[in-house]
Amino acid sequence: MVLPVSPSSSLSLPILSSSTHHILPASDPPYKLLQSHPSLHFLSKCKSLQDLKQVHSQIIKTGLHNTHFALSKLIEFCAISPYGDLAYALLLFESIEEPNRFIWNNIIRGCSLSSNPIVALELFVRMILCGTEPNSYTFPFLFKSCAKIGATHEGKQIHAHVVKLGLENDAFVHTSLINMYAQNGELGNARLVFDKSTLRDAVSFTALITGYVSRGFMDDARRLFNEIPVRDVVSWNAMIAGYAQCGRFEEALALFEEMRKANVQPDESTMVTVLSACAQSGSVELGNWVQSWIENRVLGSNLRLVNALIDMYSKCGDLETARGLFDGLHQRDVISWNVMIGGYTKMSCYKEALTLFQLMLRSNVEPNDVTLLGVLSACAYLGALDLDAAEQVFNNMNLKSLASWNAMISGLAMHGHPDKAIRLSEEMANEGIKPDDITFVGLLSACTHAETLMKNMEMKPDGAIWSSLLGACRVHGRVELGAGRWDDVARIRNRLTNMGMKKVPGCTSIEVDGVVHEFVVSDKVHPLRKDVYKMLDEIDRLLEVAGFVPDTSEVLRDIDEEWKEGALSHHSEKLAIAFGLISTKPGTTIRIVKNLRVCGNCHSATKLISKIFNREIIARDKNRFHHFKDGFCSCRDYW
DNA sequence: GTAGGGTTAG
């Protein structure tokens, strides 16, 4: 972990050579005089490094560079403003013989915001060695850095400094400390700091709640939430987002209702979260209501909100409305493009997805790894020619992030090009890019020597990894795998389970006459369950007559996301379909929403059901839409 | 003069 503290060599300060140091006077001229100085006024107008250099030159010409104030402001701007430049800030910082505490704090702050926050910790060490005592402003920046990079060990040492300096009772230091422990998974320590102090407000509560939420301890989080003396909008948002992130959409939406009843004004974050919950649970009606709520307020043209709306409509199957919103945007960011492309892909409109991607390439928005993944899965249907196009896009990417390598590798592996995937991973290694656990998951689906890879890889318990791993395995369940690999899969699953990954129970909902009915695996609570199970028996009988043989092999059960109950015929989607068949008129389209991906068995069964009962069945699973008709599915058995 | 908790795409 050796990281450069010195800035890149291509930068240079105006007039001053790098060997010239600022030796600052003991005190600055009067503050008011400096504050209103025109050169410093221009600082806030800078929009590029060039502008910045001009202002810097001006500051030197007017002699201001010999003041703490001007240098502080320059460093602050360079380090923090989006138009600044951290490398320049560091160059400037290194030129100061004896930086004061304010300057130290601001350069540390800048580094804590950067993509390389470890530099902030290195600077802290230097600050101490130089004999500058940190204060209550220094520590929040440091703890934020530790939280960002998972530096618990370093965080604990810095905690000791806080105790030594008697700063434990500063509210900002206190909360950032709790947050550091909570973010780094040390919930016991976070709780200890929280419990030991009398400093308890919505902010410190929320920091702890978020920690519990991130580890899936929703009940503990909720208990804390109920204890908050005065809840503010952020604490509500955190709790609502917690429910939405772990798939408990109904609770998320119920809490949003409670929030409104408590007369707390929702803000942009609230609405983005609520829309995400609507999108994921398929609650298009509530989503509609949210849209009008937004439009009646000043939030209407907010890009993030419109992105969330586009996503909500496309995930609910209303591509037309989604596209209308997309076309109406004056400015689009990478998320706008990605949600719209993803919307088309999920509905099997691959040509539209790729056409939109072509438009994106002509816009000024650079595609990222998420775009690439979406485009790749669209290409997978449209033949090798388009896959070549995706490869071309990848090859032309200016900045290939680890994520984009991963997207390409897993894309190739999952879409029938395992050899290319493995070759690409070798290329990646040759470029000096270290693979991570996600690369591994991608490769696992292509690789014949998973054993070797596993030994070299540290898996992190992450839901995304978990599901992509299972997805990779499922797809390859059809591609004749060597039996040995399933052992690897089982072992990884055990490791993840031991690390605290909780399985989300499968659940399918169906709306009939405006009422949403929910079914879980082997449901025992629905009032009409007797009739439902009776219908299920009939379905199974007819399926058997039609020649359907459920696959009960170890492989399928292993990868099935509702494997726990083992009852293949009682999966929630089949229960919901059975309910749909008995509670709607013949010929009516059945629409269901599942919180997980549909399993292979249910998918095959549903295809046949659509034929036997002459019903169109539109199933939305976690990843995409399946439109079953006449024994076929729109996804063409790829999902 | 600087500081703490929440937010969308996969």
Side-chain angles (χ1 to χ4, degrees), chain A residues 153-444:
Chain A
H153 183 65
E154 289 81 356
K156 284 179 180 167
Q157 294 175 59
I158 299 168
H159 186 177
H161 282 272
V162 168
V163 176
K164 205 170 123 192
L165 292 167
L167 291 172
E168 287 161 296
N169 288 321
D170 179 276
F172 290 81
V173 177
H174 179 243
T175 309
S176 59
L177 184 55
I178 293 171
N179 192 49
M180 185 273 291
Y181 281 125
Q183 296 280 314
N184 290 350
E186 300 238 334
L187 290 177
N189 281 327
R191 187 74 200 220
L192 217 60
V193 174
F194 180 83
D195 283 340
K196 260 179 65 183
S197 171
T198 51
L199 290 168
R200 283 174 181 219
D201 59 9
V203 189
S204 59
F205 265 102
T206 308
L208 195 56
I209 287 171
T210 314
Y212 281 118
V213 163
S214 71
R215 301 280 143 170
F217 299 123
M218 290 308 295
D219 297 342
D220 297 274
R222 184 56 192 261
R223 233 170 283 136
L224 275 167
F225 179 77
N226 293 341
E227 279 178 41
I228 305 179
V230 185
R231 290 172 210 148
D232 63 9
V233 60
V234 180
S235 40
W236 282 98
N237 289 353
M239 197 65 226
I240 295 172
Y243 282 126
Q245 281 156 13
C246 68
R248 288 161 69 164
F249 308 119
E250 275 193 37
E251 280 151 294
L253 299 175
L255 199 61
F256 172 61
E257 262 310 299
E258 232 183 277
M259 175 184 184
R260 291 182 54 235
K261 281 185 191 142
N263 275 327
V264 178
Q265 267 308 309
D267 65 5
E268 182 195 320
S269 294
T270 325
M271 299 328 270
V272 166
T273 309
V274 168
L275 279 172
S276 158
C278 293
Q280 291 179 76
S281 62
S283 317
V284 69
E285 275 174 38
L286 182 63
N288 247 318
W289 176 88
V290 172
Q291 183 177 18
S292 44
W293 190 93
I294 292 167
E295 281 168 354
N296 288 331
R297 283 161 182 78
V298 270
L299 301 163
S301 57
N302 183 304
L303 180 59
R304 256 185 283 222
L305 280 170
V306 180
N307 285 347
L309 279 169
I310 295 172
D311 189 40
M312 187 272 295
Y313 280 115
S314 72
K315 281 212 175 98
C316 291
D318 187 350
L319 281 177
E320 223 171 287
T321 309
R323 184 59 192 257
L325 285 163
F326 178 85
D327 288 339
L329 280 172
H330 297 299
Q331 251 198 332
R332 302 180 184 107
D333 63 7
V334 66
I335 295 182
S336 327
W337 288 97
N338 286 354
V339 289
M340 201 60 233
I341 291 172
Y344 282 125
T345 312
K346 285 182 189 74
M347 292 286 277
S348 310
C349 306
Y350 304 109
K351 284 214 168 115
E352 288 83 348
L354 290 182
T355 309
L356 202 61
F357 176 60
Q358 291 300 327
L359 278 178
M360 180 185 187
L361 291 178
R362 272 179 260 143
S363 78
N364 53 1
V365 181
E366 181 100 357
N368 66 9
D369 42 285
V370 179
T371 328
L372 208 58
L373 256 179
V375 169
L376 269 168
S377 72
C379 287
Y381 292 91
L382 298 172
L385 193 72
D386 290 295
L387 194 63
D388 289 346
E391 282 179 308
Q392 221 170 1
V393 170
F394 175 73
N395 293 334
N396 288 335
M397 270 179 121
N398 287 332
L399 268 175
K400 287 193 186 82
S401 65
L402 177 59
S404 52
W405 283 95
N406 286 346
M408 198 65 199
I409 289 171
S410 66
L412 287 170
M414 304 267 286
H415 298 149
H417 300 268
D419 297 342
K420 280 188 179 176
I422 292 167
R423 234 175 296 141
L424 198 65
S425 74
E426 286 162 2
E427 212 177 289
M428 174 179 164
N430 288 340
E431 299 256 333
I433 297 166
K434 239 178 111 181
D436 68 354
D437 33 21
I438 299 177
T439 326
F440 168 61
V441 169
L443 274 177
L444 182 73

Side-chain angles (χ1 to χ4, degrees), chain A residues 578-605:
Chain A
F579 177 75
L581 286 172
I582 55 172
S583 52
T584 58
K585 284 187 196 134
T588 317
T589 301
I590 294 174
R591 291 168 192 272
I592 57 172
V593 177
K594 185 176 181 188
N595 65 336
L596 303 173
R597 236 188 335 227
V598 58
C599 85
N601 247 315
C602 288
H603 194 265
S604 315

Side-chain angles (χ1 to χ4, degrees), chain A residues 460-476:
Chain A
K460 276 182 236 149
D462 176 299
I465 295 169
W466 175 240
S467 57
S468 59
L469 174 64
L470 289 172
C473 297
R474 184 179 47 69
V475 168
H476 276 263

Side-chain angles (χ1 to χ4, degrees), chain A residues 460-517:
Chain A
K460 276 182 236 149
D462 176 299
I465 295 169
W466 175 240
S467 57
S468 59
L469 174 64
L470 289 172
C473 297
R474 184 179 47 69
V475 168
H476 276 263
R478 292 198 291 263
V479 197
E480 285 183 27
L481 279 171
R485 209 166 331 161
W486 291 109
D487 295 345
D488 292 334
V489 173
R491 236 176 302 158
I492 293 167
R493 195 183 66 198
N494 284 339
R495 266 174 84 176
L496 290 170
T497 315
N498 294 340
M499 284 163 123
M501 272 299 298
K502 281 187 186 168
K503 268 201 155 297
V504 178
C507 168
T508 304
S509 58
I510 174 168
E511 198 182 290
V512 175
D513 298 330
V515 181
V516 177
H517 300 260

Side-chain angles (χ1 to χ4, degrees), chain A residues 42-43 45-57 83:
Chain A
F42 284 123
L43 195 56
K45 303 251 183 282
C46 289
K47 292 270 188 281
S48 66
L49 186 61
Q50 239 178 351
D51 292 350
L52 201 72
K53 283 190 171 179
Q54 276 191 16
V55 173
H56 191 188
S57 303
Y83 298 112

